[in-house]
Amino acid sequence: MSPMSFNLAHSLPELILAVGALFLLLFGAIRGKDSDGPLTEIAVGLIGVAILTIILGAKTQAIVFDGLFIDDAFGRFMKVLVLLGSIVTLVMGQNFLALEKIDKFEYPILVVLSTLGALILVSATGLITLYLGLELMSLALYVLAAFHRDNLKASEAGLKYFVLGALSSGMLLYGASLLYGFSGTVSFTGIAAAINGQASIGVVFGLVFLMTGLAFKMSVVPFHMWTPDVYEGAPTPVTAFFATAPKMAAVAITVRVIITAFPGITTQWQQIIVFISILSMVLGSVAAIGQTNFKRLMAYSAIGNMGFALVGLAAGTPEGVEGVIIYMAIYLVMTLGTFAAILSMRINGRSVENVADLMGLAKTNPAMAFFLAMMMFSLAGIPPLAGFFGKFYVFNAAIQAHLYPLAVIGVLSSVIAAFYYLRVVKFMYFDESTVAFDPPPAILRVVLGVTAMLSLFLFVYPPLFTGAATAAAKSLFLP
């Protein structure tokens, strides 16, 4: 096999999305308004093919494109999560965009381009590839946040995200330049070899600024300020996309950078991860209590969940990384199910987002109330639902690494967070009915039902899922 064929074979999902995005852009420009529906279906097909190429493709590890891009078990697992988040949010959002009259042909193209950036980000082996993937993902997200341009909240959300995103990109670049200056290389393994366990003040500053940029994309405290406003202001399908695919990519590259570029200076990066993890868990648990808008509540829930995920990374062990991977996969399922419920909340053709609008849902739509209750119980971490297992794996890794205070704070934060999840259940089952929701589209019922069942029955045979996560985690620690 020629070097070029070898490169392309290990970057086939990215190639499919890149060529597909160019085709979609040309098709949309030529067809104009008539292309709205077909483009979404073609985009879904492209992402579906990309998932199949990962699942059915070669399982060998390879570094291609002159050491800029890696194809390994960890990358493949996280890419499947990214692509699942993209494909489900695209399918779920079609009806909403049509009803709001914003089903423009650019929407699926922007989602595909952002997904492409996320895939490149997951497989980055150096600072240059990291920045290229991050910016490709982010530039499309800036436009998507303000996609409903006639809506003041959406325009405000897009502007806030763009300004803060530009600031975070600058910080990340500054950190990358410091790391390059003090190590003489941009590759993660090269940085690890140059540092050789000796962290100079310049390397520590570079690490801090690099983590600042990545923390912004994960929306963890203290770089979370954009999250509630953007989640509330952006169109709901866009918010669902924000909460899933880009989150998977941001966590994946953070784990890869920490484990492969800074293995010898655990004390330095562990302090950063523990600090932002504690702040995120506490703020995500406390600040959500007073929220009345369901999307803002999910924003603070996302902040808290990212904090829980980082508990596993703080351990710095294969078991910790495995915990992060499992937690993110379960988080993806729970988030997609919850947003399917939010998209189903329409009264007389008008979209509603307040938690109080769920009052009496158990009487008017018992199936939706049951499935959404499963999502809330799972997010709260109540056994034997999937959310409990996600928290169990990350807390167990922290305990094995002797990070007892972090695990205790995590458990206490989880208990506090249970209040606002259970309040949603209380509204649905114990309050009087106000007005019934319009019947949701079949696809939303399917997504809500499937995700609820996955959350409910994961405990039946966990190895079906955890085996791949274990292999993915171990691949990061290979020499």
Side-chain angles (χ1 to χ4, degrees):
M1 186 182 288
S2 69
M4 182 53 72
S5 300
F6 184 72
N7 288 346
L8 296 179
H10 284 281
S11 59
L12 200 53
E14 290 80 5
L15 187 66
I16 289 168
L17 293 190
V19 174
L22 293 175
F23 168 76
L24 288 172
L25 190 59
L26 286 171
F27 183 81
I30 293 167
R31 289 283 301 272
K33 289 185 178 180
D34 297 333
S35 60
D36 298 347
L39 272 187
T40 302
E41 289 153 10
I42 297 169
V44 167
L46 284 170
I47 297 171
V49 172
I51 294 173
L52 288 176
T53 59
I54 295 173
I55 295 173
L56 304 177
K59 298 298 185 286
T60 55
Q61 180 166 318
I63 298 176
V64 295
F65 295 112
D66 291 326
L68 295 173
F69 186 96
I70 187 169
D71 178 25
D72 61 353
F74 174 76
R76 287 190 290 271
F77 191 100
M78 295 308 294
K79 283 179 186 178
V80 170
L81 297 186
V82 169
L83 292 165
L84 284 173
S86 301
I87 197 169
V88 175
T89 50
L90 262 181
V91 171
M92 285 197 308
Q94 263 191 299
N95 185 67
F96 179 94
L97 296 173
L99 289 172
E100 298 291 326
K101 296 182 173 55
I102 50 171
D103 50 341
K104 312 293 183 187
F105 78 84
E106 294 91 348
Y107 179 77
I109 299 170
L110 289 166
V111 171
V112 170
L113 286 172
S114 185
T115 305
L116 171 60
L119 297 191
I120 294 171
L121 186 61
V122 169
S123 283
T125 57
L127 299 171
I128 292 176
T129 319
L130 183 156
Y131 187 70
L132 288 174
L134 189 75
E135 285 305 294
L136 178 56
M137 179 181 81
S138 301
L139 288 170
L141 291 176
Y142 298 147
V143 183
L144 283 170
F147 199 74
H148 195 176
R149 58 188 181 185
D150 296 328
N151 184 291
L152 187 60
K153 279 190 175 181
S155 301
E156 182 185 347
L159 186 60
K160 282 181 178 176
Y161 188 54
F162 173 70
V163 171
L164 292 171
L167 177 65
S168 75
S169 292
M171 289 182 171
L172 185 140
L173 267 183
Y174 182 58
S177 66
L178 283 174
L179 289 171
Y180 173 67
F182 281 89
S183 65
T185 178
V186 292
S187 82
F188 298 153
T189 52
I191 291 170
I195 294 172
N196 196 24
Q198 302 296 319
S200 65
I201 189 70
V203 168
V204 172
F205 266 92
L207 171 61
V208 169
F209 278 103
L210 187 73
M211 283 304 302
T212 297
L214 295 176
F216 177 87
K217 295 303 173 190
M218 290 188 289
S219 67
V220 292
V221 182
F223 309 102
H224 66 288
M225 31 316 210
W226 61 274
T227 315
D229 290 337
V230 173
Y231 269 49
E232 182 184 6
T236 306
V238 175
T239 306
F241 182 66
F242 265 93
T244 52
K247 284 277 195 302
M248 303 297 128
V251 170
I253 192 58
T254 302
V255 172
R256 190 185 291 282
V257 167
I258 289 294
I259 299 300
T260 59
F262 306 103
I265 56 169
T266 305
T267 306
Q268 282 77 8
W269 63 254
Q270 198 175 58
Q271 293 176 43
I272 300 171
I273 298 298
V274 168
F275 176 69
I276 62 177
S277 175
I278 290 174
L279 287 182
S280 300
M281 289 188 294
V282 172
L283 183 129
S285 300
V286 174
I289 290 174
Q291 301 302 320
T292 56
N293 182 283
F294 208 164
K295 285 160 69 176
R296 285 186 79 89
L297 186 146
M298 287 305 295
Y300 285 106
S301 170
I303 293 167
N305 276 297
M306 292 303 102
F308 290 123
L310 291 178
V311 170
L313 177 57
T317 59
E319 293 76 20
V321 173
E322 180 188 347
V324 175
I325 295 170
I326 291 170
Y327 194 92
M328 292 310 295
I330 292 171
Y331 167 77
L332 176 70
V333 170
M334 297 185 298
T335 304
L336 288 173
T338 305
F339 274 97
I342 295 173
L343 284 163
S344 301
M345 293 168 60
R346 301 190 77 87
I347 298 173
N348 298 326
R350 181 177 56 86
S351 177
V352 292
E353 298 168 359
N354 288 329
V355 179
D357 292 315
L358 292 166
M359 285 182 177
L361 184 64
K363 297 182 182 66
T364 58
N365 193 334
M368 181 180 166
F370 173 77
F371 290 139
L372 183 54
M374 288 303 100
M375 293 292 101
M376 294 297 105
F377 283 132
S378 187
L379 281 164
I382 294 173
L385 299 175
F388 167 78
F389 288 100
K391 289 176 180 175
F392 172 79
Y393 278 104
V394 292
F395 292 155
N396 186 49
I399 290 168
Q400 288 179 4
H402 307 295
L403 298 173
Y404 303 116
L406 181 62
V408 169
I409 292 170
V411 172
L412 292 176
S413 299
S414 188
V415 172
I416 296 169
F419 171 79
Y420 61 81
Y421 293 127
L422 298 182
R423 189 167 65 113
V424 174
V425 179
K426 177 257 184 189
F427 276 134
M428 293 190 296
Y429 280 90
F430 298 103
D431 285 2
E432 287 300 316
S433 176
T434 50
V435 61
F437 290 150
D438 300 343
I443 186 62
L444 294 178
R445 294 199 295 268
V446 169
V447 171
L448 185 55
V450 169
T451 52
M453 291 300 105
L454 286 173
S455 293
L456 190 56
F457 294 114
L458 178 69
F459 72 94
V460 174
Y461 190 62
L464 185 69
F465 168 68
T466 56
T470 305
K474 286 180 179 176
S475 72
L476 264 190
F477 291 85
L478 293 174

